[in-house]
Every structure is written in C-alpha cells, then in structure tokens.
Amino acid sequence: MRAASHLQTLPPALPGLALSAAVAWAAMRLGDVAWLQEHGFSALTAAIVLGIVLGNTLYPRIAAPCGDGVRFSKQTLLRAGIILYGFRLTLQDISHVGLAGVVIDAAMLLSTFGLAWLAGVKLLKLERDAALLIGAGSSICGAAAVMATEPVLRARSEQVTVAISTVVIFGSLAIFLYPLLYTLQAEPAWGARLPDFGIYIGSTVHEVAQVLAAARSIDQHTADTAVITKMVRVMMLAPFLLMLSMKAGPSCSGQRGKLSIPWFAFAFIGVVLLNSLLPLPAAVAQLVLQVDTLLLAMAMAALGLTTHLSAIRNAGVKPMILGAILFAWLVIGGALVNGALGRLLA
C-alpha cells in the first residue's frame, strides 16, 4: 500500500509507462539470448509472459496508480508500434518473391482466416472476436497481427492473450516440424518437392522470428526467401484491417453498421511507401527498429499486466482446438497451395 501511495503522487500516466517500459526492457534483453532466438522466441513473446506473471502476482497491488499508463501503453503505444513496423518493409520485397509468392501469401491469408471464422464461430461456437483474433494471428504475422486486430474488434484482453498463446504454441512447433518436412519431401511418399520451400515456410509459419528459426535450420537461401515471403505477408496486414473494419467492426459497441476505421493502418501503408522511396540511413533505421520493438514490447507487457489467468482458464480448450485446426491447415493445406500455385505461376 505504501508503494501505491507514493506512485499516486506522480503524473497519472508515468507509473504505468515506467512499469511497462521496465518489463519491455527485460523482455528485450531476454530476446537477445541466443538459445531463445534459436527457438523462435522474440522479445514480444517474452514481454507478454513477464507481464502475465506480474499481472497475476505483484501488479494488483499497484494497479490503481499504474492503470492510466498501462492503458496508454496497450492502446496508443501499440498503434505507434504498428506504424513504425512499416520501416521493416519495402515494396521492393514483393519483387524478390515474384507473383507466385504474393499469390500464395494472399491465398493462405484468406483461406486461413476464412477457416478460423468457419471452424471457430460455426463449428466450435467460440465468441466471434476470439475466433477472429486467432485467425488473424495464424494467417498473417502472429502476435503483431493479433495486437493490431484488437483495436478494430475492441476485443477483451483475455481474448487477445489466448490468441497470442496459440501463436506461441503452434508457431514453436513449426520451428521443429518444417526442417523435418524438408527432409521428408525427398522421400517417394511425399510425391514431389515443393517448388520453393522458403516460400512455403514464409507463407505458413506464424511469427517472423519463428519463420527465421525454422528456415535457418535448412540453409541460408531458404531463410532469405522465407523471410522476404513473410514480410510480403506482413504487408497484407493493412488491407486486411481495412476489410475487417468494414465487414466485422466492434461486436460490443451496440451500434450496428458503424464503421471502425483503423487509421493507424493508413499510416502503416504510408511508412512502407516512404521506406520504399526514401530509405533511412542504416544507423537511423536500426534506431527506429529498436524503438519500434520497445513500443510493441511495452504494449505486450501492458496486455500481460491486465490479463487474469482465471479468464484464460475459463476460455477452455476450444481456442487451442481452433489453433490446432488452423496449424494443420497451414502445414498440409499450405503444402498443397504452394505446390499447385507454385508450379502454375512459375
């Protein structure tokens, strides 16, 4: 109680911002650990895990004075982080994977997200927002896509956390599975080699870090192609959010037909265009990306701080079943899509 009373004397948002930043800093240090990098665990994953641990132990004692800053981190800093994420991408990335890579990315995004809605809402009877968040994370770029989709749907914190959990679990499995599949595809039972295994990895694995970890286990060429394919898939986040805001919108706003426009998506597109036409000097670009990682890690930390494990337990096994269904489609259906479209568009 004494700590909380001292925090109340500070500017309203400062205590929560400082707490989110401290958790983010610790997560970024963990993200630099070689063993974690090799297993595809990024600073963002570490931030939400640390946030959940604190959120269910120490944070409730200081939640009142820290609430404003934590909410600011979870909302405003998240949008800023998504906008700066555009500096990781350029339009030139598209040319590196060709038409086949772009079409395969789009096909996997649409089919995976559509399956999430069909299997999650219609079959498993999950809440719409929970199913759509899991679909966004599986079909585009993992935790970043889940966090970017949350403001459009205005989903609850526990729904966001459950969706990110599916990304962590099944994306981690992909790191070990895909190198094995690369070896098995040479066997007669596989039928034929995929046209480009790097495009297969980049178009079907959840997180950028997981893509890199899985592809690097094969060879450098596969890793380069996989990461570029994944970056093209990430570029589809902005049009995805715009379409989602028109088709879905907030489920809890009580105002049918009202369009929730994700303005930060337009800013994201603008940054990608700017980075394509006027790339930043290397040193400046590196600094911007570090700031972006910090902002996104702070948003993840804030999400973890406001997530109660009891709410996750109450969600039951259905979200994980949906995650497993989508993972099976990404692996098996992704191989079929890559094989068919890769040969057709080669």
Side-chain angles (χ1 to χ4, degrees), residues 18-32 43 47 50 294 297-298 301:
L19 178 60
S20 299
V23 176
W25 180 86
M28 291 172 70
R29 300 288 71 77
L30 286 174
D32 291 333
L50 292 176
L294 174 63
M298 288 179 68

Side-chain angles (χ1 to χ4, degrees), residues 15-65:
L17 285 172
L19 178 60
S20 299
V23 176
W25 180 86
M28 291 172 70
R29 300 288 71 77
L30 286 174
D32 291 333
V33 176
W35 186 88
L36 293 177
Q37 289 181 347
E38 291 170 1
H39 291 80
F41 290 96
S42 65
L44 303 188
T45 303
I48 193 170
V49 171
L50 292 176
I52 289 174
V53 171
L54 290 175
N56 289 271
T57 53
L58 301 177
Y59 179 68
R61 303 177 186 177
I62 56 174

Side-chain angles (χ1 to χ4, degrees), residues 8 28 31 60 66 104 143 200 275 319:
Q8 287 174 338
M28 291 172 70
C66 290
I104 289 171
Y200 173 48
N275 196 41

Side-chain angles (χ1 to χ4, degrees), residues 9-336:
T9 64
L10 298 173
L14 185 57
L17 285 172
L19 178 60
S20 299
V23 176
W25 180 86
M28 291 172 70
R29 300 288 71 77
L30 286 174
D32 291 333
V33 176
W35 186 88
L36 293 177
Q37 289 181 347
E38 291 170 1
H39 291 80
F41 290 96
S42 65
L44 303 188
T45 303
I48 193 170
V49 171
L50 292 176
I52 289 174
V53 171
L54 290 175
N56 289 271
T57 53
L58 301 177
Y59 179 68
R61 303 177 186 177
I62 56 174
C66 290
D68 288 344
V70 169
R71 280 189 294 273
F72 184 84
S73 298
K74 190 168 63 172
Q75 297 171 4
T76 304
L77 295 188
L78 166 64
R79 290 164 172 79
I82 295 297
I83 291 170
L84 291 181
Y85 201 89
F87 281 110
R88 302 174 189 269
L89 310 168
T90 67
L91 295 178
Q92 287 83 355
D93 291 336
I94 298 176
S95 64
H96 292 155
V97 297
L99 179 62
V102 176
V103 173
I104 289 171
D105 272 344
M108 291 309 302
L109 191 163
L110 294 173
S111 61
T112 304
F113 191 75
L115 180 60
W117 180 82
L118 182 64
V121 178
K122 298 299 183 180
L123 179 62
L124 296 173
K125 306 300 181 184
L126 281 169
E127 291 181 282
R128 186 204 67 166
D129 288 356
L132 295 186
L133 288 171
I134 294 171
S138 299
S139 62
I140 308 176
C141 54
V146 174
M147 296 291 285
T149 305
E150 182 272 332
V152 178
L153 299 177
R154 299 179 193 170
R156 301 192 304 274
S157 293
E158 59 269 21
Q159 293 174 325
V160 176
T161 303
V162 169
I164 292 174
S165 299
T166 66
V167 169
V168 173
I169 291 171
F170 295 106
S172 299
L173 288 176
I175 294 172
F176 304 100
L177 177 62
Y178 278 72
L180 177 61
L181 293 177
Y182 179 78
T183 302
L184 291 177
Q185 72 166 338
E187 299 295 328
W190 181 272
R193 283 183 176 272
L194 291 174
D196 195 315
F197 208 85
I199 292 180
Y200 173 48
I201 294 176
S203 63
T204 57
V205 176
H206 301 67
E207 290 268 12
V208 176
Q210 294 161 349
V211 166
L212 182 59
R216 197 164 50 189
S217 299
I218 298 172
D219 56 53
Q220 189 59 48
H221 172 74
T222 300
D224 293 343
T225 304
V227 170
I228 292 172
T229 303
K230 182 62 177 179
M231 290 295 98
V232 172
R233 192 168 151 207
V234 172
M235 291 176 70
M236 296 178 180
L237 176 62
F240 166 81
L241 293 175
L242 296 176
M243 288 191 295
L244 185 63
S245 68
M246 291 186 285
K247 296 295 184 181
S251 64
C252 57
S253 63
Q255 297 178 325
R256 294 176 60 88
K258 183 177 179 180
L259 181 62
S260 175
I261 300 176
W263 295 107
F264 64 94
F266 289 100
F268 171 84
I269 295 173
V271 168
V272 173
L273 293 174
L274 176 64
N275 196 41
S276 303
L277 299 173
L278 298 171
L280 296 174
V284 177
Q286 184 65 26
L287 177 61
V288 170
L289 296 185
Q290 288 178 349
V291 171
D292 179 49
T293 300
L294 174 63
L295 294 179
L296 290 175
M298 288 179 68
M300 287 288 199
L303 173 65
L305 289 169
T306 55
T307 297
H308 301 291
L309 289 177
S310 59
I312 298 177
R313 287 194 297 269
N314 291 339
V317 298
K318 288 184 178 181
M320 289 301 164
I321 294 175
L322 177 58
I325 292 172
L326 298 182
F327 181 58
W329 165 250
L330 287 167
V331 174
I332 301 171
L336 296 174

